Amino acid sequence: MCSHYDPQTDPARLRTYFGVEDLPSGLKTSLWPGYHGPFVRKHEFADVGDEAVPFRELLVGSFGLIPHWSKDATIARRTYNARSETVHEKPSYRDAWRLARHCIIPAEAIYEPDWRSGKAVPTRITRADGKPMGIAGLWSVWKPPTGDITHSFTMLTINADDHPFMRQYHKSEDEKRMVVILSEHDYEAWLSAPANQSRDFLRQFPADNLLGEQPQQSLL
């Protein structure tokens, strides 16, 4: 499961790889659950027929999905990853899944613990080709008692027990999981897909296009 990642906050890379603009200033460059970062969704007015409206839009939301019924935002500390096997039935995610509120989370890197040495060694994982990751997620909107609208998102995860790269991470007795890293060729289709096609995109990312880097003093 991914609880720590570096969001893509470079305007040029967001424009080149995700086709979005207008990144707010002051965002953190490393995120944990409850922190706010960028996500990409289909523009809410993309289907009105106005050519001036872009297909995608960039929003900022909480890393950790806050369902509309939540009493406060602290739930985000537990809803940052959604298991693809149960996402359709879990109260925190099922509305976003049913409504096909698909999003892409732009990430420069994710972090996972490597336990092969017998202790957790934090490892920075990137795409080997140097491109940013586009992680498949779900988004939601929450209106707290103050009345201010808050957007939020969660990363979708799949089993990785047989993944040549991701099975190296987490304790040996734990199930291996990985976030869904989309091919850039699927970005448009994922953002447009209806709920009954959502699972078509939940695939493992090729192991040979992932690279892990550990702190120099912790290398095996």
Side-chain angles (χ1 to χ4, degrees), residues 4-199:
H4 179 204
Y5 79 102
D6 294 341
Q8 181 52 251
T9 56
D10 181 88
R13 284 171 72 78
L14 284 168
R15 186 182 311 113
T16 298
Y17 293 107
F18 299 98
V20 291
E21 308 268 2
D22 302 323
L23 179 73
S25 60
L27 295 181
K28 294 182 181 296
T29 57
S30 196
L31 299 187
W32 297 86
Y35 289 23
H36 282 66
F39 70 95
V40 179
R41 71 174 186 182
K42 181 179 177 181
H43 197 289
E44 62 176 330
F45 300 123
D47 295 326
V48 301
D50 186 345
E51 294 183 359
V53 177
F55 177 79
R56 307 176 191 179
E57 64 177 338
L58 181 73
L59 297 177
V60 172
S62 168
F63 176 33
L65 192 138
I66 308 171
H68 65 86
W69 45 260
S70 184
K71 296 185 184 301
D72 58 52
T74 60
I75 193 174
R77 300 171 190 166
R78 307 187 300 276
T79 57
Y80 50 91
N81 288 169
R83 293 176 65 93
S84 60
E85 298 88 346
T86 58
V87 65
H88 63 287
E89 62 187 13
K90 292 295 184 180
S92 295
Y93 312 117
R94 62 189 178 196
D95 286 343
W97 180 264
R98 176 178 56 84
L99 295 170
R101 287 182 166 174
H102 298 162
C103 69
I104 301 170
I105 300 133
E108 192 62 30
I110 60 174
Y111 293 85
E112 297 288 2
D114 186 334
W115 279 88
R116 286 177 294 169
S117 66
K119 62 180 180 179
V121 179
T123 304
R124 187 175 190 266
I125 298 170
T126 60
R127 283 181 54 151
D129 59 12
K131 297 178 181 179
M133 298 175 177
I135 299 172
L138 300 173
W139 65 272
S140 187
V141 62
W142 177 64
K143 189 173 183 179
T146 59
D148 298 324
I149 294 295
T150 298
H151 288 92
S152 63
F153 59 90
T154 186
M155 297 176 176
L156 288 160
T157 70
I158 53 177
N159 180 273
D161 285 340
D162 62 350
H163 192 270
F165 182 85
M166 292 305 300
R167 69 185 181 192
Q168 302 175 107
Y169 298 92
H170 298 283
K171 294 182 180 179
S172 59
E173 65 270 23
D174 291 346
E175 180 195 5
K176 310 304 180 182
R177 306 288 299 178
M178 66 184 297
V179 293
V180 176
I181 302 170
L182 297 164
S183 164
E184 53 267 37
H185 304 298
D186 288 334
Y187 288 174
E188 205 94 340
W190 167 248
L191 294 179
S192 301
N196 62 2
Q197 295 178 13
S198 297
R199 295 193 182 280

